[in-house]
Structures are given as C-alpha cells and as structure tokens.
Amino acid sequence: MQFLILGMLMLAPMSLYDVHKQFTAGASLFYSASFGSIQRALARLSADGLVSVREEPGSARGRKVHAATPSGVAAWREWMRTPGEGANPERVMLAKVYLLGLMPAGSQRDEVLDMLRASAAAARAELEAVERALDAQPVPEGYREIFAYQRATLDYGLRAHRLACEWLDELT
C-alpha cells in the first residue's frame, strides 16, 4: 500500500482525507484501505523520508499535507521495476498498471510491462504444470466429486492468469 500511496502523492500533495478519497475513486477496485491503514502507511513513509509532511497554513484543524520526496519518487520507481512479490501478486500487478502512467513514456513503461508480462506468464506456467500433474493422476472413485470442485478452482486460476496475460498484452 505504501507504494500505491507514493504514486498518488506524485500526482499532487494530499492530506489523509485526500488519499482516502483517491482510494475510493479508483484504487478501491483492487485495494481496500481504511483511514487507519492509510494513516499508518503515511506515518511510515514519513519516518522513512519518502514523504514530507507540512501543516496547511490557515487550517483550523491542523490539516497535514503529504508530498512525495525525491527519495520517495526514486523508491517508487524502483518498486515499479521489481517483480510483484508477496501474498497477492495480482493486487501488486493491478497497482503497478494503475500507476503506470506516472512512469516516463517509452522504454521505462515498456520495461515495467515486460516485467509484469513475464511474471504473469511464469505464474500461469506454474498452474499449467499443476494442471498436467493432476490430470495425469487417477482419481479414486470415492474422491471424484470432491476432486471435481478442487479442479474447478484450479481452472479458475488458469483462466484468471490467461486473462491477465491477454490484458497485459493489450496495454502496449
């Protein structure tokens, strides 16, 4: 979430409320975030020197505005160039595509798309290997009904990865 917020702050300096509004307006399609989680992420980004914080002049409530620092922009660009890792690679892929317009046009954007395509293709290939291995095994009579639903779940994953690969190919 921190890099998603950094990307949003590269568009314009924002308050906690503004960042939450940005999540609601677009990123919530693939990433949900509460005020508390955004506030913690902003505090961490600030502590790491990736975001600056200033109090808005004339604000009766002490509205704090956050902006990406040059170090934050560099960290964000590095994150964009690294393969998605973690528990939800699909969410990372969607976040990177969502923010891809912030990368300079041309080779840098192409580099990110190529990396995303390679990651999606590798994940798809892993699922296809699982599919081949499962399909090569006999299923005992008493487990066929159970296996059918487990296999359906694998089929969903295969379809999702095929769609992701096709979709990324269309982003050229």
Side-chain angles (χ1 to χ4, degrees):
M1 174 175 17
Q2 291 180 359
F3 292 104
L4 187 55
I5 291 172
L6 265 177
M8 291 176 182
L9 294 176
M10 288 169 56
L11 293 169
M14 296 183 211
S15 68
L16 168 64
Y17 175 78
D18 296 331
V19 173
H20 186 265
K21 202 162 61 172
Q22 284 294 311
F23 267 93
T24 304
S28 65
L29 295 170
F30 58 90
Y31 203 110
S32 63
S34 66
F35 272 105
S37 62
I38 295 170
Q39 188 173 33
R40 286 187 298 278
L42 285 169
R44 175 66 189 237
L45 289 166
S46 177
D48 291 346
L50 303 178
V51 165
S52 64
V53 184
R54 67 171 171 79
E55 195 165 310
E56 192 169 67
S59 171
R61 295 182 137 183
R63 177 179 154 109
K64 294 179 181 171
V65 177
H66 303 79
T69 64
S71 297
V73 172
W76 177 85
R77 286 192 173 142
E78 181 63 29
W79 171 76
M80 287 290 288
R81 290 185 182 104
T82 58
E85 299 172 359
N88 197 335
E90 181 181 40
R91 185 186 313 172
V92 172
M93 175 192 70
L94 292 170
K96 289 181 180 189
V97 170
Y98 184 76
L99 298 170
L100 193 57
L102 294 170
M103 290 293 284
S107 65
Q108 290 188 40
R109 277 189 202 162
D110 292 343
E111 176 187 329
V112 173
L113 279 172
D114 288 345
M115 182 252 328
L116 292 173
R117 285 185 190 107
S119 293
R124 179 177 142 187
E126 286 178 26
L127 288 179
E128 288 170 342
V130 170
E131 176 185 43
R132 286 189 300 277
L134 281 177
D135 289 348
Q137 297 296 316
V139 179
E141 183 66 36
Y143 294 98
R144 287 192 181 149
E145 188 174 346
I146 295 167
F147 177 77
Y149 289 102
Q150 293 174 346
R151 182 64 173 77
T153 305
L154 174 61
D155 186 51
Y156 174 84
L158 286 163
R159 290 179 188 197
H161 281 77
R162 286 182 189 126
L163 176 62
C165 290
E166 290 172 16
W167 178 69
L168 287 167
D169 286 342
E170 293 172 5
L171 292 177
T172 303

